[in-house]
Every structure is written in C-alpha cells, then in structure tokens.
Amino acid sequence: MLLELAQSKKILFFGGKGGVGKTTVSSATAIAHANSGAKVLLVSTDPAHNLGHLFDRTIGSKPVRITAGLDALELDPAETVNVHLKEISESLHELMPVTLHSEIDKHIALSRNAPGMHEAALLERIADVIEEGKDEYDLIVFDTAPSGHTARLMVLPEMMSAWTEGLIKRKEKADRFAEFVRELGQDTSMEDKTIGGATMAEQERESKIRRILLRRRRKFEHLREHISDPEQASFVIVLAAERLPVLETIELYEQLQQANITVECLVVNKRAPANSGEFLHERHTQEEIHLQTLEQALPDIKRQDIFLQSQDVVGISAVESLAQIL
Ligand SMILES: Nc1ncnc2c1ncn2[C@@H]1O[C@H](COP(=O)(O)OP(=O)(O)OP(=O)(O)O)[C@@H](O)[C@H]1O
Ligand SMILES: [Mg+2]
C-alpha cells in the first residue's frame, strides 16, 4: 500500500513518535519506488539525522546517490538557522533606524535558540527542496523528527505568512506616518530630492525590504499549496501498536486535519507475529485491542502493518528486503 501511495504522490511526509521506525519505513518506501523505475529524493528533517546511520555513510545537505534512482540529503538545522538569521538581521538593519541596530543584534542573538526558530528555518529549507526538486524527482520523501515537532512544522507555513503579512502592513503604516510627519514640517529646499515624501534612496531601500518579505511570504504560500494539495502530498503516520502511541496518533491526525494535511496511510510497525510462540501470540492479541481503538477513531484511513524483524534494519540490503514487503 505504501508503494501505491508513493506512485500516486509527489511528496510524502513520514512522521510519528521517536523510535517507531520513521527513518526505516520512509527509506524502504523510497527504495521500493526507486526500484520500480522512479527518481526519488529522500530528505531527513530530523536534527538527529539517522539516514547516514541507516545507510552507513556520510550524507550532507546536498543530495548524494544512495542507489539507482535514489538520492538522499539531510537538512542541516544549524546551517539553515544561520542563513535564515543572517537574512532576517540584514533586512531588519535596513528596515530600522541605526539607533535600533544594537537592539536588533541582541534580539537576533537571543532568537538563535528561541522555540520555533529551528522549525521555521527548516520549513524554509523544505520549501526550497520542494521547489528545486519537484521537476527533477518523481517523488520527494521527508523523514521527519518525532510527532510534536512535525505537527508544529506543518502548521508553520500559515503562521509564517501571517507574520510577514503583519510586518508588511506595519511597515506600510509606519511609512504613511513618516510621510505625514515630513509633510507637516516640510522644508522647501528638500523638495526637489523627494518623490511622494520619500527620497529615492529611501524608496529603493523600501522596495528591497518589501521584496525580501514578499519572497519569503510567497515561499511559505507555495509550500502551503503543495503540502495541502491531496493530489500531490500526503502524510504517513508511523506508530507502534501500543496504547499511548495509538492515542497520540489520533491526536496527530486531528492536528494535521486542522492544518489541511491529508493523511492516507497509517503504518503500524514492529508488529508481533501471531504464531511464533505463546509470548508473541499474546502480545499480538494485546496489539489487536489497541488497534481496535485506532480503527474506531480513524475508520477510513488505510493501514499497513509491518512485522517485527528478527534483526535491526541497518544497511542498504536490509532496507531493500523490507522494501520487498511493502
Ligand atoms: N520492522 C522492524 N523490525 C525490527 N526492527 C525495526 C523495524 N523497524 C525499525 N526497526 C529498528 O528500530 C530502530 C528505530 O528505527 P528508526 O530509526 O527507523 O525509527 P525512527 O522513528 O526514525 O526513530 P527517531 O524518532 O529516533 O528518528 C532501529 O534500530 C531500526 O533498525
Ligand atoms: Mg529517524
């Protein structure tokens, strides 16, 4: 079922609690699709990057070839935050009077570790990866960090475009006020250098700031369009068949619904086999009870169960064999 989903979409996100198998299952799906002849890009958005560990090689912020048809990259949050803050800092310096510059620098330094900063920066990189990769690749698969983080990330495009919109409006208001003040005390000797109350240099600077803000807003709007379009994108929740993970999955599903993100598939990973001894059989029965809760809460969402393998899934050949059973 995961393979069918991969064949019908351009973008897939894999999310869920820590350790449930997001990296394993997203990689297996990416390989399965690549093996069927598609060109796939696998992207880790998790700061703890485990694609490199899984494939036992260094993977950086530029795509590297994993196997025929499959490239992978790991988004570097620190690098992304630096680029992001530098741009914000530069545009704020241009936007605000010189007397406020040291205040801005202080604020930017504090922002580096502010909640949401890494997510916002990552979101911008996700938008870039989709923009840059959507023509080259048939499918882009995102292996994301544990649930809370992912859900926040998914609603961010809306928040971010509202934020830039607010900034633009505030700027326009401030401009009108400045113009009014200028007109009150108009000095006729200055008149020849001004156009509509602002000097040409001011106007040029303003349009540059506006361009930066509008570009960022457009980026988030595009991302929003892509990820909320059910024809193009879908979110896969990976979970374990246990009580809390099931309840958290239902909650995550609702958060994603509110953010207009389609969830078409749930993957219940590491299921205990039914007939491999009494202990595992009992575990299997217990799991069925938890899965009934899931079924009742989300009756229309397809489910794929993947059994617990006797070995950890490490290395490309282990992922390849898991890909065979999707
Ligand atoms: N079906 C399976 N059978 C056996 N082991 C599995 C299975 N799926 C995943 N694993 C193992 O479980 C561990 C966690 O898997 P994985 O790294 O894919 O989880 P994750 O959700 O990406 O974790 P994190 O939240 O830390 O990113 C790994 O050691 C992996 O090999
Ligand atoms: Mg992982």
Side-chain angles (χ1 to χ4, degrees):
M1 179 203 306
L2 276 172
L3 186 56
E4 282 159 31
L5 193 65
Q7 280 158 354
S8 64
K9 305 287 169 190
K10 286 285 294 177
I11 305 162
L12 285 183
F13 285 91
F14 284 78
K17 266 181 80 70
V20 288
K22 298 175 293 297
T23 303
T24 309
V25 178
S26 58
S27 301
T29 308
I31 285 198
H33 194 38
N35 286 346
S36 71
K39 201 149 184 261
V40 184
L41 178 64
L42 176 61
V43 184
S44 167
T45 70
D46 186 350
H49 293 324
N50 15 41
L51 286 181
H53 300 150
L54 178 60
F55 293 114
D56 199 18
R57 55 171 296 177
T58 309
I59 296 174
S61 55
K62 299 262 172 300
V64 292
R65 176 59 45 95
I66 300 294
T67 181
L70 178 67
D71 292 347
L73 66 87
E74 293 177 333
L75 299 181
D76 180 348
E79 183 189 308
T80 312
V81 166
N82 284 342
V83 174
H84 186 72
L85 284 181
K86 189 162 171 276
E87 202 186 2
I88 288 186
S89 164
E90 280 168 7
S91 53
L92 282 177
H93 275 177
E94 289 190 55
L95 190 66
M96 303 297 181
V98 178
T99 46
L100 286 180
H101 283 190
S102 65
E103 208 45 49
I104 292 170
D105 293 341
K106 246 190 267 166
H107 184 74
I108 294 279
L110 283 175
S111 305
R112 190 168 298 275
N113 296 312
M117 178 49 72
H118 278 231
E119 287 91 336
L122 268 179
L123 199 67
E124 210 172 333
R125 284 291 289 129
I126 290 176
D128 289 340
V129 166
I130 292 178
E131 249 354 271
E132 288 158 17
K134 70 182 185 336
D135 295 330
E136 189 182 346
Y137 296 96
D138 299 305
L139 175 72
I140 306 177
V141 175
F142 288 96
D143 166 29
T144 73
S147 338
H149 171 104
T150 311
R152 272 210 313 264
L153 211 60
M154 292 292 129
V155 293
L156 263 173
E158 227 130 69
M159 279 165 50
M160 295 307 286
S161 50
W163 182 77
T164 48
E165 181 64 35
L167 207 56
I168 290 170
K169 285 218 176 94
R170 270 222 302 278
K171 174 84 183 80
E172 279 168 356
K173 237 192 232 166
D175 288 349
R176 279 201 297 277
F177 181 68
E179 197 172 330
F180 174 69
V181 171
R182 255 195 307 266
E183 275 165 11
L184 275 180
Q186 210 158 46
D187 174 355
T188 42
S189 65
M190 292 286 288
E191 250 175 358
D192 54 342
K193 290 184 203 137
T194 62
I195 303 165
T199 66
M200 274 167 77
E202 270 171 350
Q203 284 209 335
E204 229 165 73
R205 208 179 55 193
E206 275 164 27
S207 68
K208 189 175 162 214
I209 295 158
R210 214 184 145 74
R211 269 203 308 276
I212 293 173
L213 292 176
L214 285 175
R215 197 196 63 209
R216 174 159 294 138
R217 191 180 68 182
R218 265 198 299 275
K219 226 185 231 189
F220 290 126
E221 278 169 2
H222 278 160
L223 178 62
R224 184 92 226 134
E225 274 165 30
H226 286 305
I227 64 178
S228 60
D229 174 3
E231 298 276 307
Q232 283 190 63
S234 189
F235 195 101
V236 176
I237 306 179
V238 184
L239 72 148
E242 293 164 12
R243 199 175 82 87
L244 277 179
V246 162
L247 297 180
E248 286 183 18
T249 298
I250 298 167
E251 211 172 288
L252 176 60
Y253 175 83
E254 276 155 13
Q255 286 172 351
L256 291 167
Q257 282 282 95
Q258 277 164 18
N260 268 329
I261 312 283
T262 318
V263 179
E264 278 172 69
C265 183
L266 306 170
V267 175
V268 185
N269 191 25
K270 305 192 197 181
R271 286 229 47 197
N275 37 26
S276 299
E278 200 184 328
F279 175 82
L280 286 174
H281 186 78
E282 218 172 289
R283 188 69 229 153
H284 182 88
T285 314
Q286 172 72 77
E287 289 178 357
E288 288 294 322
I289 296 169
H290 297 312
L291 292 176
Q292 268 171 26
T293 310
L294 191 66
E295 179 77 34
Q296 277 159 13
L298 309 174
D300 302 326
I301 315 296
K302 290 182 192 139
R303 203 181 91 199
Q304 171 148 16
D305 291 5
I306 298 175
F307 283 105
L308 180 69
Q309 312 291 302
S310 56
Q311 310 275 323
D312 277 359
V313 186
V314 186
I316 191 155
S317 57
V319 184
E320 289 267 5
S321 32
L322 195 65
Q324 308 283 326
I325 59 168
L326 295 183

